[in-house]
Amino acid sequence: MATAARQHRVVMVSDFFYPNFGGVENHIYQLSQCLIHQGHKVVVVTHAYGDCLGVRYLTNGLKVYYLPRLPFYQQSSFPSLLGWARLLRAICMRERATLLHGHQAFSTLALEACIHASSLGLKVVFTDHSLFGFADAGSILLNKVLKAVLGADVHGVICVSHTSKENTVLRACLPPAAVAVIPNGKCGQPVDTSQFTPDLSMGALPWPRDPEAEEVVLVVLCRLVYRKGIDLLSLVLPAVCERHPHVRVLVGGDGPKRQLLEKVIADHGLQSRVLLEGAVPHERARDFMVRGHVFVNASLTEAFCMALVEAAAAGLVVVSTAVGGVPEVLPPDMIVLTDPSAEGLLEGIERAIQRVPHQRPLEQHLRVRQMYDWNDVACRTAAVYDRVAASCRDDSVPARLGRYLAAGRWVGALFGVVALMSVLLLRLAQWWQPASAIDVAPD
């Protein structure tokens, strides 16, 4: 739905976007599509993925800038601090951006963009999608970075669950009133779940009446990384296959923990029972899910797991570790929650298997349609944009430096220097290439 005067012109920035598969990628895509439908201008900025380099267009004219930056750890790009400030300025000027929206705490691209956007005089919003600890060295470092960037440069913070909000408020030392909670789904108008519907065709996988005598298929679809509980899953799969001879397991996804699963499969002779299918594109996620009866999520930390919603919409029995914001995702009768331990997950999978004969996929799908609505998420996000746009906060260089110092003497001094260099570099870029010399992209 186009309008003559757009309400907001938003640049979404994150290291995580298609063709990579994950909850953050899906969140940015769905939110962008709904914001475009509501009349806002949205472009996405991410790093290059293989041959995806330059400018690409997705559904409804969603423009994606794939920048020439290489990822170095789990798709996060290597920190460059000032290396791409001039490129970001050119994109924002070309798209006439009024607001920058960063996503995910461990996206270096998003955190750097928040600093540079503040130097450009843009309003900045940040969405945190994950939970982090407070004790290990990596978490301590990241929390210091968040405290500096969110406190000094970001005008509005969004979390995807109440648990995520509590975690972010503590890590970044933010006032709770400054953080909005917008779950990935919210009660409202029925969402278009045509991508995740039960398979009701004649050739569909039959639902067993006796799970002890008929085949039951477990489905796992996630990144094969430690945070997603793959170590936990590797402990449970042999026990499940031993106790239930009619159970098969389909594992979709790729990552550094794939070798662990391959070793477990080989050591226990499960080649005919456990199938590793590799990375599954999001457009094939539904087809992959409906090949099974039970969806298993073994995450050790999760702010809001969209895969649980998608599996429930596809009609599967859902079992998940009760970590982070997972208990907020689905009502108790739609999900089996377990402790994040091998014993707890094994017991939860067995309870889920017993639910299979009583599952009503179509009825569950219709319930999920009434519970989750991306248009409502977009409306609430736009309300945050409105509040941020009306903010009168002092964003002068001295005020920013003062907020940086509130994050700590050494961290504040470091980020203060980076912010000063960002301002100087962007002013030099303005002299070298004035905004009037940059072609404006047509809407």
Side-chain angles (χ1 to χ4, degrees):
M1 181 176 63
T3 58
R6 296 187 182 276
Q7 299 169 344
H8 296 287
R9 310 181 73 86
V10 185
V11 176
M12 301 275 186
V13 183
S14 180
D15 279 308
F16 309 99
F17 195 66
Y18 296 153
N20 198 46
F21 175 80
V24 178
E25 293 85 344
N26 185 46
H27 178 104
I28 296 172
Y29 175 79
Q30 297 287 358
L31 176 60
S32 298
Q33 291 291 341
C34 290
L35 287 172
I36 290 172
H37 181 72
Q38 293 176 9
H40 305 286
K41 172 70 179 289
V42 181
V43 299
V44 178
V45 176
T46 186
H47 65 70
Y49 282 90
D51 294 334
C52 281
L53 181 65
V55 179
R56 303 292 177 95
Y57 287 88
L58 304 183
T59 307
N60 292 330
L62 176 61
K63 184 189 291 187
V64 185
Y65 288 88
Y66 289 97
L67 305 185
R69 289 185 59 170
L70 295 175
F72 80 107
Y73 179 70
Q74 294 186 10
Q75 296 303 331
S76 290
S77 54
F78 194 83
S80 67
L81 297 182
L82 302 174
W84 73 295
R86 186 164 165 260
L87 181 55
L88 178 65
R89 172 184 176 270
I91 292 172
C92 291
M93 294 294 180
R94 179 171 169 77
E95 303 296 339
R96 292 177 290 170
T98 59
L99 184 145
L100 185 137
H101 190 164
H103 290 265
Q104 189 60 308
F106 51 86
S107 169
T108 53
L109 200 68
L111 294 172
E112 291 172 3
C114 290
I115 297 174
H116 301 320
S118 186
S119 299
L120 286 168
L122 300 178
K123 301 296 184 181
V124 182
V125 174
F126 189 86
T127 296
D128 196 1
H129 295 261
S130 298
L131 304 178
F132 290 90
F134 301 87
D136 59 285
S139 296
I140 293 172
L141 178 62
L142 180 59
N143 294 346
K144 280 292 185 181
V145 173
L146 280 183
K147 186 177 180 181
V149 176
L150 299 192
D153 296 317
V154 175
H155 298 82
V157 179
I158 298 173
C159 290
V160 297
S161 68
H162 293 281
T163 303
S164 175
K165 174 180 177 177
E166 294 176 4
N167 185 261
T168 300
V169 165
L170 290 173
R171 287 159 54 213
C173 298
L174 298 172
V179 182
V181 177
I182 305 179
N184 286 330
K186 181 69 180 174
C187 294
Q189 300 283 327
V191 65
D192 179 12
T193 53
S194 59
Q195 292 184 349
F196 293 91
T197 55
D199 189 355
L200 304 177
S201 64
M202 293 295 293
L205 182 72
W207 283 80
R209 296 182 178 180
D210 182 3
E212 299 301 326
E214 300 177 60
E215 183 180 72
V216 176
V217 182
L218 309 184
V219 173
V220 179
L221 182 58
C222 65
R223 294 191 187 98
L224 303 186
V225 296
Y226 172 78
R227 189 173 66 84
K228 291 296 183 179
I230 303 304
D231 297 80
L232 192 60
L233 193 66
S234 67
L235 296 174
V236 170
L237 288 181
V240 171
C241 292
E242 181 181 357
R243 295 188 185 186
H244 301 275
H246 298 283
V247 165
R248 286 194 304 113
V249 184
L250 301 177
V251 180
D254 208 349
K257 290 293 181 179
R258 180 186 176 110
Q259 293 181 348
L260 173 63
L261 290 179
E262 291 174 343
K263 183 177 185 303
V264 169
I265 292 170
D267 290 347
H268 293 84
L270 301 177
Q271 289 86 349
S272 62
R273 306 278 301 280
V274 181
L275 179 62
L276 302 182
E277 298 231 345
V280 178
H282 189 259
E283 61 269 19
R284 288 185 47 234
R286 178 264 179 190
D287 295 336
F288 181 81
M289 288 181 176
V290 297
R291 291 166 58 190
H293 306 101
V294 178
F295 182 81
V296 180
N297 174 53
S299 292
L300 302 179
T301 175
E302 199 77 70
F304 189 105
C305 185
M306 274 305 299
L308 299 179
V309 179
E310 294 167 349
L316 278 67
V317 179
V318 178
V319 56
S320 174
T321 48
V323 296
V326 167
E328 303 175 34
V329 177
L330 294 169
D333 62 317
M334 279 194 192
I335 186 170
V336 178
L337 295 174
T338 76
D339 293 331
S341 64
E343 296 79 9
L345 185 60
L346 177 59
E347 188 266 339
I349 291 175
E350 292 188 326
R351 283 164 50 202
I353 291 174
Q354 296 305 315
R355 281 192 183 189
V356 169
H358 311 289
Q359 183 73 352
R360 299 293 181 267
L362 184 58
E363 293 179 13
Q364 180 169 288
H365 169 76
L366 295 175
R367 287 180 63 191
V368 175
R369 285 187 61 185
Q370 299 294 330
M371 293 166 56
Y372 288 92
D373 181 19
W374 276 107
N375 287 313
D376 183 78
V377 173
C379 287
R380 297 175 67 182
T381 303
V384 174
Y385 293 168
D386 293 337
R387 187 176 74 246
V388 164
S391 171
C392 297
R393 190 181 73 178
D394 183 4
D395 287 322
S396 64
V397 173
R400 288 176 66 193
L401 294 178
R403 291 194 291 267
Y404 278 127
L405 289 175
R409 180 183 303 174
W410 297 108
V411 172
L414 173 63
F415 277 90
V417 170
V418 172
L420 280 174
M421 294 177 65
S422 172
V423 171
L424 293 174
L425 178 62
L426 292 172
R427 288 183 180 176
L428 179 62
Q430 172 63 23
W431 172 79
W432 183 263
Q433 186 183 31
S436 58
I438 298 177
D439 292 336
V440 175
D443 293 339

